[in-house]
């Protein structure tokens, strides 16, 4: 059996001192040993401390939860903003594709119309006009000589031979030489006989021996064939 220790006045005084000093233990004696037991003040302080800790933990949990909610909201807002940007980009891309398609369709339509539309013929140049005199006849003959058969000859060569042969008279007729005696007199500005005119007539000029332009052009064609150019003729040819 445990031995009981009697509490003396000294024990009581010591306990009182401890309580006055804020001690939170009381002395009990059992089994020959003394044990410290919590007092009411100690329990109150402990409870208060525990309550304070619980409150702090609760506040910490609340702050953590608030931070987590804020993070979730920020993430949701970012995702929503990203989706809006993606939707706008998709709409812009779709609009650009539609615009390209419309432009291509318009271009194809324009091309089809251009192909279908009859081409307008280029306006013909107004025919060149020549004076109805010796100067105009020579110039017209030179143009025909160049365009039709590239027949050589110059203004000077033609004019010189015309003045010698007919003095510029398109209706001049030689009725005294051998050709006249043979029934084929020389006629016109360059005194050409009918067989020579027929052989060297240039297409595009009148088929009339005494026509000024036809006579000059045929004579220049004959002279080019026989002498190389009318410019090389200085006498009867």
């Amino acid at each position: 059996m445990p031995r009981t220790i009697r509490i003396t006045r000294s024990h009581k005084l010591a306990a009182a001192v401890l309580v006055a000093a804020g001690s939170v233990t009381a002395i009990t004696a059992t089994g020959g040993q003394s044990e410290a037991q919590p007092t009411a003040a100690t329990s109150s302080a402990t409870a208060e401390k525990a309550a304070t800790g619980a409150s702090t933990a609760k506040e910490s949990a609340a702050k953590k939860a608030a931070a987590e909610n804020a993070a979730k909201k920020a993430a949701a807002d970012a995702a929503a903003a990203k989706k809006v940007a993606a939707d706008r980009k998709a709409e812009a891309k779709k609009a650009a594709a539609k615009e390209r398609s419309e432009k291509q369709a318009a271009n194809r339509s324009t091309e089809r119309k251009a192909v279908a539309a009859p081409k307008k013929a280029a306006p013909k140049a107004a025919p060149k006009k020549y004076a109805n005199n010796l100067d105009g006849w020579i110039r017209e003959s030179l143009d025909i000589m160049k365009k039709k058969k590239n027949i050589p000859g110059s203004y000077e060569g033609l004019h010189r031979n015309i003045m010698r042969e007919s003095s510029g008279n398109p209706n001049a007729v030689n009725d005294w030489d051998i050709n006249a005696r043979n029934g084929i007199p020389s006629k016109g500005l360059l005194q050409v006989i009918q067989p020579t005119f027929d052989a060297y007539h240039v297409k595009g000029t009148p088929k009339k021996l005494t026509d000024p332009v036809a006579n000059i052009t045929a004579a220049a064609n004959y002279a080019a064939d026989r002498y190389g150019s009318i410019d090389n003729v200085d006498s009867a040819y």
Side-chain angles (χ1 to χ4, degrees):
M1 301 238 347
R3 187 177 58 181
T4 302
I5 299 174
R6 185 179 179 182
I7 299 174
T8 65
R9 187 170 179 273
S10 296
H11 291 147
K12 291 180 180 180
L13 289 173
V17 171
L18 290 174
V19 171
S23 176
V24 294
T25 60
I27 299 174
T28 60
T30 59
Q33 294 180 349
S34 61
E35 295 179 357
Q37 297 293 330
T39 64
T42 301
S43 297
S44 176
T46 301
E48 183 179 351
K49 185 176 182 180
T52 302
S55 176
T56 302
K58 186 175 181 181
E59 290 177 0
S60 178
K63 289 180 180 180
K64 183 178 180 181
E68 289 177 352
N69 290 336
K72 288 179 180 179
K73 186 177 183 303
D77 292 343
K82 187 175 181 181
K83 185 177 184 304
V84 170
D87 290 344
R88 288 179 179 175
K89 186 177 181 180
E91 289 177 0
K93 188 175 181 180
K94 185 177 179 181
K98 182 179 179 182
E99 184 178 359
R100 283 195 301 271
S101 178
E102 290 175 350
K103 284 184 179 179
Q104 290 173 354
N107 290 337
R108 286 193 294 269
S109 177
T110 302
E111 290 173 358
R112 285 195 296 270
K113 289 180 180 178
V115 171
K119 292 183 179 179
K120 293 182 179 180
K124 292 183 179 180
K128 188 175 180 180
K129 294 183 178 181
Y130 302 92
N132 188 27
N133 54 31
L134 181 59
D135 177 73
W137 300 332
I138 293 174
R139 293 186 185 281
E140 185 175 357
S141 294
L142 285 170
D143 286 345
I144 294 172
M145 288 162 58
K146 182 178 180 181
K147 293 177 182 178
K148 297 292 183 180
K149 286 192 173 183
N150 198 27
I151 300 169
S154 66
Y155 185 99
E156 186 278 330
L158 290 173
H159 187 271
R160 171 167 42 83
N161 281 283
I162 288 171
M163 295 308 293
R164 185 190 68 249
E165 293 293 331
S166 66
S167 298
N169 179 8
N171 296 312
V173 178
N174 185 326
D175 56 4
W176 55 267
D177 64 4
I178 186 63
N179 291 321
R181 289 195 294 271
N182 290 333
I184 48 172
S186 302
K187 296 180 180 181
L189 291 172
L190 283 170
Q191 292 294 285
V192 182
I193 62 176
Q194 190 68 48
T196 300
F197 177 82
D198 293 339
Y200 290 94
H201 172 260
V202 175
K203 187 177 180 180
T205 62
K207 289 185 177 182
K208 183 180 178 182
L209 178 57
T210 56
D211 179 83
V213 175
N215 187 278
I216 294 172
T217 310
N221 193 21
Y222 163 74
D225 184 44
R226 187 168 182 180
Y227 304 102
S229 172
I230 192 69
D231 293 348
N232 299 328
V233 177
D234 289 308
S235 61
Y237 63 107

